[in-house]
Amino acid sequence: MESPLFYSGGSTSSSVAAMEEAELHEAPSTMLGDYPAIRSYEDLRNLFWVESIKVWGIAGPIAFNILCNYGINSFTSIIVGHLGDVELSAVAISLSVIANFSFGFLLGMGSALETLCGQAFGAGQIEMLGVYLQRSWIILGASCICMLPLYIYSTPILKLLGQRDDIAELAGDFSIQIIPQMFSLAINFPTQKFLQAQSRVGILAWVGFVALTMHTGLLFLFVRVLQWGTSGAAAAYDVSAWGVALAQVVYIVGWCNDGWKGLSLLAFKELWPFVKLSVASAVMLCLEIWYFMTIIVLTGHLEDPVIAVGSLSICMNINGWEGMLFIGINAAISVRVSNELGSGHPRAAKYSVFVTVAESLLIGLISMAIVIAAKDHFAVFFTDTVKMQTAVSNLAYLLAATMLLNSVQPVISGVAVGGGWQALVAYINLTCYYIIGLPFGFLLGYKAHLGVQGIWMGMIVGTSLQTIVLCIIVWKTNWDEEVAQASERMRQWTGQGDEIET
């Protein structure tokens, strides 16, 4: 029998049992196929070592790439901030509301490729990766066209949300000018997922670093030297975004000959199932993004909105830096699970999940301890106001709890993407966040008069419930059945019917 630590329910097939018996004394570090069962502490130690190398080899470059992308937005706001307060507010609102909405939706749509490319790569159907990539380009390109009204009519939308006329009008002009950046994401995100599925993530780190360097230079040239104002910032934003997208395409065409076989008419087949998985992925991610945006809106209607929103924003900023690391881990575990399911290795997929959750939980515990230890001090990096610092200190324990939860939740979400469970997780997010978390936070914040602390407590309740439900699902998952479903998905979605062997 397997160690109870790694038992996940369900029956084991006879072939797997035979393999387990044959590989009884073989350590994980020597395995080329599925892992053997854990029989000793030595096996467990080897498993953690091998999986840590695999997961962090993927997570590190992805996290660095995300950090560079975050820096592109930050440097844009910093440079524009020297033009004036109105310009800063307008660009910040355009990037955080309009651009961030499309970013989250398109990222979610593109994450469907993590499931399909990862499982196809694991199954050895590498030639299908290019076909899936092209399908994703088509779907995300169409999605960009559908979102054009959001950019074109952003001025009246922002006015409807209560923004000042001068800020809304300048933000609307800037939003129209960064429409090319939105379309670049339709190329960028699928190419990222294509490369991640094959663990070709080093190129993503280099492209991100070069893009951040180039963007900083373009901002200085267009805004400070040529004095093009916010239009110059938009031009730099567009050029940098397309530079990233095209650099990744060039790398794929030139150096990924196994997965890229040129343009194919197969890209237009089986589009509807692909659309459904893409939409489910987008809804799953957007429900999480909108959840935190809604909390900011609720906080803005409290009695002292300046202190409430300011203190919450500082805490969310701290939480965001930890979040960048876990976005990388999210992508890494998605790749590991999808690859192993596609390869027909149920135990490797299961063990990878448990190792990654254990290490992420350790990071969360360390982060929680640091926040609690520095609760009276870290706000000085953001504000000189004693009142604001005190408000942040009062929220520190909630921030610590959130950081602990956020160390596990992204890993489980990554497992869901790797296994193709996006639709299920979307329903879970809708229930836990919007039917339970937000109403409970509203009651605590407004009816119980706990203010921003009450609203955040409601958020934590929703996130905790979602994490618990997903952990139970993962624990009870029959990974042999997941392998069978991955094989069936590859057979159905290749666009070649029964011609593809599974």
Side-chain angles (χ1 to χ4, degrees):
M1 294 180 62
E2 298 180 53
S3 168
L5 175 64
F6 295 106
Y7 178 71
S8 63
S11 60
T12 305
S13 66
S14 58
S15 61
V16 173
M19 179 186 68
E20 178 180 323
E21 184 68 24
E23 295 162 351
L24 181 61
H25 301 294
E26 192 168 6
S29 59
T30 65
M31 288 296 297
L32 297 177
D34 202 1
Y35 289 147
I38 300 298
R39 301 292 184 177
S40 64
Y41 172 77
E42 185 70 19
D43 288 345
L44 183 62
R45 190 183 68 176
N46 287 340
L47 172 68
F48 267 82
W49 175 254
V50 171
E51 275 302 320
S52 297
I53 292 175
K54 291 179 179 179
V55 169
W56 288 103
I58 301 171
I62 293 175
F64 182 78
N65 175 268
I66 293 169
L67 183 65
C68 291
N69 290 335
Y70 186 83
I72 287 177
N73 280 15
S74 296
F75 280 120
T76 301
S77 297
I78 290 172
I79 296 295
V80 170
H82 293 283
L83 298 175
D85 291 339
V86 173
E87 288 83 355
L88 174 60
S89 298
V91 169
I93 288 172
S94 177
L95 293 178
S96 62
V97 177
I98 305 300
N100 195 44
F101 180 91
S102 63
F103 181 93
F105 185 79
L106 292 172
L107 179 61
M109 292 284 285
S111 69
L113 214 60
E114 290 187 46
T115 304
L116 298 178
C117 280
Q119 293 183 1
F121 182 77
Q125 298 177 6
I126 303 177
E127 70 282 356
M128 290 304 301
L129 268 63
V131 175
Y132 292 146
L133 174 63
Q134 293 168 59
R135 285 181 192 168
S136 191
W137 282 345
I138 294 169
I139 293 171
L140 266 66
S143 300
C144 287
I145 295 174
C146 294
M147 286 192 292
L148 277 175
L150 176 66
Y151 283 74
I152 295 174
Y153 299 104
S154 56
T155 294
I157 290 173
L158 292 173
K159 287 182 178 179
L160 186 64
L161 293 175
Q163 293 299 321
R164 238 168 55 187
D165 287 352
D166 56 344
I167 294 177
E169 289 170 2
L170 185 55
D173 293 339
F174 186 83
S175 297
I176 292 175
Q177 291 168 346
I178 62 173
I179 286 177
Q181 183 269 346
M182 175 184 65
F183 277 92
S184 76
L185 299 180
I187 304 296
N188 183 358
F189 289 149
T191 54
Q192 279 188 6
K193 307 307 178 185
F194 175 94
L195 294 169
Q196 286 176 17
Q198 305 170 74
S199 299
R200 293 176 178 260
V201 291
I203 184 63
L204 296 178
W206 281 108
V207 168
F209 175 74
V210 172
L212 178 60
T213 304
M214 179 182 72
H215 183 68
T216 305
L218 289 176
L219 279 174
F220 183 81
L221 175 63
F222 293 164
V223 178
R224 301 296 294 272
V225 177
L226 299 179
Q227 298 184 348
W228 289 353
T230 56
S231 298
Y237 201 58
D238 293 337
V239 171
S240 299
W242 271 103
V244 170
L246 294 178
Q248 291 171 181
V249 171
V250 168
Y251 179 81
I252 288 174
V253 173
W255 286 274
C256 298
N257 297 326
D258 290 339
W260 177 261
K261 300 296 184 181
L263 299 177
S264 172
L265 291 177
L266 283 175
F268 293 94
K269 294 184 178 181
E270 299 295 332
L271 278 177
W272 180 239
F274 206 112
V275 169
K276 290 194 293 185
L277 182 61
S278 297
V279 171
S281 300
V283 172
M284 169 186 157
L285 182 62
C286 287
L287 285 175
E288 296 185 13
I289 295 175
W290 295 340
Y291 183 51
F292 291 98
M293 291 175 61
T294 305
I295 288 171
I296 294 290
V297 172
L298 286 177
T299 304
H301 293 282
L302 293 172
E303 292 182 2
D304 192 349
V306 174
I307 295 298
V309 173
S311 58
L312 184 61
S313 297
I314 291 173
C315 290
M316 289 299 179
N317 191 298
I318 296 294
N319 186 56
W321 284 99
E322 184 203 40
M324 290 179 205
L325 172 63
F326 285 107
I327 289 175
I329 297 176
N330 171 283
I333 189 61
S334 175
V335 171
R336 291 288 302 123
V337 169
S338 60
N339 282 175
E340 297 298 350
L341 291 180
S343 300
H345 300 155
R347 194 182 287 116
K350 177 175 64 176
Y351 287 2
S352 180
V353 172
F354 285 113
V355 169
T356 306
V357 168
E359 293 183 350
S360 297
L361 183 60
L362 177 61
I363 295 174
L365 289 170
I366 294 173
S367 300
M368 180 178 70
I370 291 174
V371 167
I372 293 176
K375 69 183 184 69
D376 297 325
H377 307 288
F378 65 81
V380 298
F381 294 105
F382 300 89
T383 178
D384 295 325
T385 306
V386 175
K387 186 176 182 181
M388 184 70 77
Q389 294 175 8
T390 302
V392 172
S393 179
N394 292 335
L395 294 176
Y397 289 103
L398 295 177
L399 172 60
T402 301
M403 296 181 80
L404 179 61
L405 283 174
N406 286 350
S407 66
V408 176
Q409 190 271 343
V411 178
I412 304 300
S413 295
V415 175
V417 172
W421 310 340
Q422 287 92 329
L424 172 64
V425 178
Y427 285 116
I428 294 172
N429 287 352
L430 179 64
T431 302
C432 296
Y433 289 162
Y434 294 90
I435 297 179
I436 298 176
L438 280 179
F440 189 57
F442 178 84
L443 290 175
L444 291 178
Y446 287 89
K447 301 303 180 181
H449 305 290
L450 295 178
V452 64
Q453 290 179 318
I455 294 174
W456 200 344
M457 287 178 187
M459 180 192 75
I460 290 176
V461 168
T463 305
S464 300
L465 184 60
Q466 184 245 25
T467 303
I468 291 171
V469 171
L470 290 180
C471 284
I472 292 173
I473 291 174
V474 170
W475 182 258
K476 291 184 174 293
T477 294
N478 185 325
W479 293 97
D480 295 308
E481 291 182 0
E482 292 299 318
V483 167
Q485 291 176 14
S487 178
E488 178 65 16
R489 186 182 293 116
M490 291 300 98
R491 187 190 70 79
Q492 291 179 350
W493 290 12
T494 55
Q496 299 179 16
D498 296 327
E499 297 177 13
I500 296 293
E501 286 292 328
T502 58

